[in-house]
Amino acid sequence: MNSLKRLNPYINRYKVQLLLGVFFIILTNVFSVYSIKYVGKAVDLISDYLKSPSNNYALLLQQAGMIILFALISGVFKYFMRQTVIVSSRKIENDLKNDIYTHYQQLSLTFYRNNKIGDLMNRITEDVSAVRMYLGPGIMYSINLFFLLMIVLCFMLDVSTYLTICSLAPLPFLSIVIYKVSNTINQKSKEVQASQSGISSFVQDSFSGIRVIKSFNKEDKIINDYNESTLDYKQKSISLAKTEAFFFPLMLLIIGLSYILVLYVGGTEYMEGRISIGDIASFFMYINMLIWPFTSLGWVTSLKQRAKASMTRINEFIDAKSEIDESGTQEFHNGTIEFKDVSYTYPNTGIEALKKVSFKIEKGKTLAIMGKTGSGKSTIGMLLSRLIEPKSGKIKVNNIPINKFDLHSIREVCSVVPQDSFLFSETIYENILIGNSDATDEMIFEASKKACIYDSILGFDQGFQTKVGERGITLSGGQKQRISIARALVKNPELIIFDDSLSAVDTETEEQILKNIKHDIQKATSVIITHRISSAKNADYVLILENGRIIQEGTPKDLLKQEGWFLDLYRKQN
Ligand SMILES: Nc1ncnc2c1ncn2[C@@H]1O[C@H](COP(=O)(O)OP(=O)(O)OP(=O)(O)O)[C@@H](O)[C@H]1O
Ligand SMILES: [Mg+2]
């Protein structure tokens, strides 16, 4: 039960509506059960007519009118019952989804590395829906069963205790059977769903990687793999269908048993003159009314179990804390940045990406970071923008530890051009606007001019309003990279981190971009991570990393004077 307790604050929010719902449930049941009483009376009138024909036609009409009237009133309340209970459950679902999404946004990169995207999506969609099914239909039907049973019992007992006990006896079995069958169905649907999402990600992967598949002649293999996974899906679906096929026959069997008992026991009671024909007729209807609630009892119990499991999964993510310390409140002011013995180990792989790295960049200066792939360059960039937190050592700005600053205020003034230039599937304009939502058209044009992408954008049919497709699929690697540079520049940042951001452009364009942004770079503190001497030669200071350690450092001029990694690379690239 514990995991579901977390729903209490949400339920409390809609307390009034839910209580009203309970009230409507009671009213619906009272009126619908009452209408049955008149059916019984009507049947008695008819059977009396057969015995001694007299003119009770008007009385019969009156009964019919009552049946219709009560059914109508009960219908109106049923409408209100759904309007309150089901609508509240939808609202709670919405609140829960929003809260989970907001929480997701606050979690750090480490969390995203440790969890699969599919899993994140499932918890916010399927698990939340499972919880909603419990909150809406689940709660509604349990309350409904309780009150309906109470009211119907009163009416039934009023007629005959013996008949009541006999006719109700099979119904608890109905609940148990439905519970068992629902559980198996749930289990199997879960397997079908898992198989389905496996196929979805497989298909998604194969479409995204269609270029690789075609160029390596892997179509046949892919088709085979696909057939294998659909075969698995087929088998699981058939197994599910077989279990589902049991559901109705079993239900009908038990209900049939109840009917036979009413007929047999009721018949004997009638023959002994204890009850009337109308009583038997109304008993059939009472049993009929109780079938769905007893069925739903089994169903609701399994709904509740599912909701519990889902809520446990949701809670797991809601309880996940960002490893980034967000307690800092001080407004960030750019200044001398200092790394002191900073080490970082990726928690998911245990790879120590940085080992006691120390360096300093003064405000407005440019630092170039070079080194082989996997040497820890991007890790420094992520530490600076506080996407990850150092495991040991200190990062200070103006001698103040970086975690004393308000996280938001750091990101306000810091621009990152990440190594993989990610674009959202929106227009180019909107993608650049992400850098600074207050940017005017002029600022966006200016930034794209600096990034040497302005002319290319105007060359597209719809210019800045061109949609870039999923992850920018319609653009070339170099175009994506330059849009991502424009996005970083439009912010007028005080701290810029270029992570290998010119790797996909030719050296001529690289020169041009570096020339264009010279002013921005001089104004801001810049970190340029690069594999090219041409990008690093104008920096104020250069760090060379290898396996997470600094192996060489100095101004480009000094480094060119000493034998070492930098000079070797200079010779090769020249
Ligand atoms: N998300 C991650 N999870 C686990 N380990 C990682 C992750 N990202 C990087 N690493 C590891 O950390 C080390 C440093 O990676 P980093 O990305 O900082 O290298 P880099 O110098 O930027 O390389 P490149 O020039 O290829 O971009 C590598 O050994 C890498 O395997
Ligand atoms: Mg990198």
Side-chain angles (χ1 to χ4, degrees):
M1 254 327 279
N2 265 341
S3 68
L4 290 175
K5 267 194 191 146
R6 293 284 284 272
L7 287 171
N8 289 349
Y10 294 93
I11 296 174
N12 273 339
R13 236 176 267 172
Y14 301 99
K15 209 168 33 193
V16 178
Q17 277 183 54
L18 286 170
L19 283 176
L20 259 178
V22 173
F23 180 63
F24 289 132
I25 291 175
I26 299 174
L27 286 180
T28 310
N29 288 326
V30 169
F31 283 100
S32 56
V33 177
Y34 233 94
S35 76
I36 290 178
K37 201 178 164 77
Y38 288 99
V39 175
K41 280 188 186 166
V43 171
D44 282 340
L45 278 175
I46 295 170
S47 72
D48 286 350
Y49 180 82
L50 291 177
K51 280 184 220 148
S52 57
S54 62
N55 194 8
N56 41 17
Y57 189 67
L59 209 58
L60 195 59
L61 264 187
Q62 194 191 336
Q63 307 297 337
M66 290 307 264
I67 295 171
I68 295 175
L69 179 70
F70 278 100
L72 273 178
I73 298 177
S74 151
V76 169
F77 284 126
K78 196 169 253 171
Y79 170 79
F80 286 125
M81 158 180 116
R82 297 192 69 91
Q83 280 296 312
T84 44
V85 180
I86 302 291
V87 166
S88 310
S89 78
R90 287 284 181 193
K91 287 182 177 163
I92 292 177
E93 177 188 27
N94 185 48
D95 291 356
L96 194 58
K97 274 188 179 168
N98 287 346
D99 285 358
I100 298 174
Y101 189 74
T102 310
H103 185 69
Y104 277 175
Q105 292 293 332
Q106 284 155 359
L107 291 168
S108 71
L109 285 187
T110 308
F111 173 84
Y112 284 94
R113 286 200 192 108
N114 290 339
N115 294 289
K116 289 203 201 108
I117 307 254
D119 203 16
L120 294 171
M121 306 257 281
N122 268 339
R123 293 189 201 205
I124 205 169
T125 52
E126 269 159 41
D127 283 330
V128 173
S129 301
V131 170
R132 183 197 72 81
M133 281 304 279
Y134 159 71
L135 282 176
I139 291 184
M140 185 173 79
Y141 289 126
S142 348
I143 299 175
N144 192 41
L145 169 70
F146 177 76
F147 286 109
L148 187 63
L149 189 61
M150 289 300 129
I151 298 166
V152 172
L153 262 184
C154 291
F155 280 81
M156 287 170 103
L157 288 172
D158 191 39
V159 178
S160 156
T161 315
Y162 181 50
L163 187 55
T164 306
I165 294 172
C166 291
S167 56
L168 287 186
L171 291 187
F173 292 104
L174 180 64
S175 301
I176 295 170
V177 167
I178 297 296
Y179 168 69
K180 292 257 187 252
V181 176
S182 306
N183 254 359
T184 321
I185 289 179
N186 277 342
Q187 195 53 43
K188 294 197 169 167
S189 342
K190 233 189 254 164
E191 283 167 22
V192 171
Q193 260 168 20
S195 173
Q196 167 71 50
S197 52
I199 294 178
S200 301
S201 19
F202 179 83
V203 169
Q204 201 185 357
D205 238 22
S206 67
F207 289 154
S208 321
I210 195 75
R211 261 156 72 172
V212 181
I213 293 171
K214 284 199 181 291
S215 49
F216 284 92
N217 260 337
K218 284 287 176 257
E219 290 99 326
D220 287 344
K221 185 185 177 315
I222 288 286
I223 291 171
N224 265 337
D225 290 353
Y226 179 77
N227 286 343
E228 259 169 45
S229 29
T230 48
L231 184 70
D232 174 65
Y233 177 72
K234 185 181 82 181
Q235 281 161 348
K236 286 179 175 156
S237 303
I238 290 176
S239 159
L240 173 65
K242 277 186 186 155
T243 315
E244 276 175 337
F246 271 111
F247 197 88
F248 277 102
L250 266 176
M251 202 170 116
L252 291 178
L253 180 76
I254 296 171
I255 295 165
L257 217 60
S258 259
Y259 283 163
I260 290 175
L261 282 169
V262 172
L263 202 58
Y264 178 73
V265 179
T268 350
E269 296 280 286
Y270 169 71
M271 286 191 281
E272 282 165 21
R274 282 197 279 272
I275 58 173
S276 68
I277 292 277
D279 288 336
I280 299 182
S282 46
F283 251 76
F284 274 116
M285 295 190 75
Y286 290 139
I287 296 290
N288 228 350
M289 278 195 99
L290 288 178
I291 288 170
W292 170 239
F294 270 98
T295 311
S296 71
L297 183 66
W299 182 58
V300 164
T301 317
S302 81
L303 276 189
K304 188 171 170 185
Q305 281 192 335
R306 259 176 88 184
K308 228 167 99 176
S310 287
M311 201 61 206
T312 311
R313 277 196 293 271
I314 293 172
N315 288 346
E316 229 173 73
F317 275 8
I318 288 199
D319 291 338
K321 293 238 168 3
S322 167
E323 98 221 71
I324 308 291
D325 169 15
E326 288 185 46
S327 59
T329 49
Q330 222 164 314
E331 179 78 12
F332 181 79
H333 289 291
N334 197 16
T336 305
I337 298 171
E338 188 185 1
F339 270 54
K340 203 157 185 331
D341 292 331
V342 172
S343 299
Y344 185 80
T345 306
Y346 281 98
N348 50 337
T349 54
I351 293 176
E352 196 175 13
L354 289 181
K355 298 161 193 156
K356 297 205 170 220
V357 168
S358 304
F359 63 87
K360 231 181 198 178
I361 336 169
E362 264 151 50
K363 188 175 169 180
K365 297 282 188 221
T366 303
L367 174 78
I369 305 179
M370 303 187 78
K372 281 204 199 111
T373 76
S375 54
K377 304 181 296 294
S378 298
T379 309
I380 294 189
M382 288 202 280
L383 282 167
L384 255 182
S385 47
R386 292 206 64 205
L387 290 172
I388 50 179
E389 204 83 282
K391 292 284 157 327
S392 69
K394 281 249 156 7
I395 304 175
K396 289 181 176 174
V397 179
N398 275 338
N399 246 336
I400 301 169
I402 199 165
N403 55 353
K404 294 273 182 270
F405 295 110
D406 171 39
L407 190 62
H408 195 72
S409 75
I410 298 180
R411 305 231 172 108
E412 279 290 282
V413 298
C414 167
S415 260
V416 184
V417 187
Q419 194 161 11
D420 49 341
S421 7
F422 184 90
L423 298 184
F424 292 93
S425 38
E426 290 167 358
T427 61
I428 295 179
Y429 188 90
E430 282 163 330
N431 266 295
I432 300 179
L433 201 64
I434 287 172
N436 176 2
S437 35
D438 302 324
T440 58
D441 286 0
E442 278 65 43
M443 286 160 78
I444 286 186
F445 298 157
E446 164 93 15
S448 7
K449 279 178 192 158
K450 282 185 196 160
C452 289
I453 185 71
Y454 184 74
D455 293 332
S456 310
I457 295 175
L458 289 191
F460 297 138
D461 276 352
Q462 284 160 318
F464 275 86
Q465 294 310 321
T466 309
K467 291 245 181 207
V468 303
E470 219 169 287
R471 290 164 172 253
I473 198 152
T474 55
L475 299 173
S476 77
Q479 285 168 338
K480 274 195 280 191
Q481 224 172 31
R482 281 175 285 160
I483 290 176
S484 141
I485 295 175
R487 172 167 69 195
L489 293 176
V490 79
K491 201 175 193 175
N492 283 325
E494 291 175 33
L495 173 63
I496 320 183
I497 302 163
F498 289 100
D499 191 349
D500 214 4
S501 312
L502 295 165
S503 59
V505 301
D506 54 275
T507 31
E508 211 173 300
T509 316
E510 179 190 10
E511 287 281 327
Q512 189 60 46
I513 295 175
L514 285 172
K515 222 166 85 190
N516 293 349
I517 62 175
K518 203 169 171 183
H519 178 68
D520 297 80
I521 289 187
Q522 277 167 355
K523 223 174 39 180
T525 310
S526 329
V527 176
I528 300 183
I529 298 170
T530 177
H531 286 287
R532 291 195 195 155
I533 294 287
S534 47
S535 290
K537 66 173 192 280
N538 293 320
D540 296 297
Y541 203 75
V542 182
L543 295 181
I544 315 285
L545 291 181
E546 192 173 285
N547 284 329
R549 282 183 214 284
I550 298 177
I551 52 162
Q552 212 187 3
E553 59 184 304
T555 61
K557 257 192 202 149
D558 291 343
L559 291 181
L560 282 178
K561 281 184 209 146
Q562 41 180 277
E563 280 302 322
W565 199 92
F566 192 78
L567 188 61
D568 280 350
L569 191 71
Y570 176 80
R571 288 190 188 122
K572 275 182 214 150
Q573 291 191 354
N574 257 10

